[in-house]
């Protein structure tokens, strides 16, 4: 049985393999594709909708237990690039 995690954006539970793990490094949120980077991680559906919900709810700082502002642009750019690749391949 595969582990289940909760998306910090939409708050729905999904298998770990369908979510993207993110961690913080030097006030930047980065995607952890292999889910092995050190530190506290949070899980997010790889969609712009869930990303925007997480930003609006300030879920990154709460889930990653950090104070201050976090730069989430790396994750946003990655999700936008993946969205363009998927929509271009249809």
């Amino acid at each position: 049985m595969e582990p289940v995690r909760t998306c910090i954006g939409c708050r729905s539970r999904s298998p770990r393999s369908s979510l993207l793990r993110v961690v913080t490094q030097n006030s930047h949120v980065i995607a952890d594709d292999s889910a092995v980077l050190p530190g506290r991680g949070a899980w997010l559906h790889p969609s712009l909708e869930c990303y925007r919900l997480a930003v609006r709810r300030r879920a990154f700082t709460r889930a990653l237990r950090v104070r201050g502002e976090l730069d989430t642009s790396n994750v946003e750019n990655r999700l936008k690039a993946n969205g363009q690749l998927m929509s271009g391949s249809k």
Side-chain angles (χ1 to χ4, degrees):
M1 184 169 174
E2 186 175 3
V4 176
R5 302 288 185 260
T6 302
C7 172
I8 62 171
C10 66
R11 304 293 300 152
S12 66
R13 294 170 53 94
S14 297
R16 178 180 157 168
S17 62
S18 68
L19 297 171
L20 173 67
R21 183 176 187 255
V22 295
V23 296
T24 182
Q25 289 183 347
N26 301 325
S27 297
H28 294 281
V29 178
I30 60 169
D32 181 9
D33 294 319
S34 56
V36 296
L37 290 176
R40 183 169 184 83
W43 297 87
L44 180 71
H45 282 111
S47 72
L48 282 172
E49 293 175 44
C50 285
Y51 167 79
R52 289 181 180 133
L53 281 171
V55 169
R56 190 176 79 212
R57 294 177 179 165
R58 297 184 189 107
F60 287 104
T61 55
R62 189 171 41 253
L64 296 169
R65 294 185 183 172
V66 294
R67 293 180 187 226
E69 292 294 316
L70 287 175
D71 180 9
T72 61
S73 61
N74 291 336
V75 175
E76 180 179 21
N77 292 337
R78 182 174 186 269
L79 294 174
K80 284 181 180 177
N82 285 347
Q84 289 174 354
L85 290 175
M86 289 190 319
S87 65
S89 64
K90 287 184 181 178

